[in-house]
Amino acid sequence: MKSSRSALSNKYFKADVIGNISLNEHVKLLSLSPLSVVKIPEPGQFFMLQAGSTYDPLLKRPFSIFGYEDNMLKFLYRIRGKGTQAIAGLKNGDTINLIGPLGNCYPEPQGDFIAVAGGIGIASLLPFLKRFKNRAYFFCGARNKKELVMFNETRVLSKEVFIATDDGSEGQKGFVTEILNDSLLVTRYSLPIYACGPNPMLKELAGIAADKGIKCYVSLEEHMACGVGACLGCVIKTVSGYKRVCKEGSVFDIKDIIWE
Ligand code: FES
């Protein structure tokens, strides 16, 4: 039997950068060609990426798997700190260190479902929409039209798409949770929800799910340092005690999370 240590060591690998393109001012799409065999990731799982050879933990960041095809890994990310700035500076031919795939994955839906993405949460949910094509009612929230990414892809993969922007420049003005709360999909059909996005959005979803009595699974975008369960830097409170987002998550049943 393999020890957990050797199982983990198999997850450390290097990859060459084969693309790192800007989709808007803040969001980029990174494509990597691994230099060794990689375990096929499931939607909802993530990798730790580290640009450069230094051991600065701030340069190691968690990225949800966005795509895995023809032995190529894809990551959609928002530039928002030292680690992602370093990744944004990578050029074709550069080599990067990775650990993964890590964490659990979204549980399989039994029928149609609702997917809710806030901002860059689409990075985690798009592979799930792809896996269960034409079964999702997709709700997407963004600050404005410019911040909406992968708009056409989600239309092709979903039964129907609902958009909300803070300034009303695309779709309905307001929060995506407001459209969802009034939707027959939750009030009448009680479809399960799969979501990824900022914590205020997820907190709202927790209220909606509890109120309507529907299942809801969320991927938490917590700050992580090690990504492998060692540093306790990503701990959250749940009904069954403290849990590490990187190890026991990053996907949780929303009713188990205690929001503070
Ligand atoms: Fe270190 Fe989760 S990031 S324990």
Side-chain angles (χ1 to χ4, degrees), residues 29-68:
L29 179 64
L30 177 70
S31 302
L32 300 174
S33 174
L35 301 180
S36 52
V37 177
V38 177
K39 188 167 179 274
I40 297 174
E42 294 292 322
Q45 287 194 295
F46 67 96
F47 288 77
M48 296 299 291
L49 273 65
Q50 181 166 25
S53 54
T54 107
Y55 290 100
D56 183 346
L58 292 176
L59 291 181
K60 204 198 281 176
R61 304 304 320 143
F63 284 61
S64 296
I65 183 65
F66 177 71
Y68 181 70

Side-chain angles (χ1 to χ4, degrees), residues 48 223-235 244-247:
M48 296 299 291
H223 288 288
M224 297 184 200
C226 72
V228 295
C231 74
L232 305 184
C234 62
V235 161
R244 296 160 298 180
V245 173
C246 69
K247 201 70 181 169

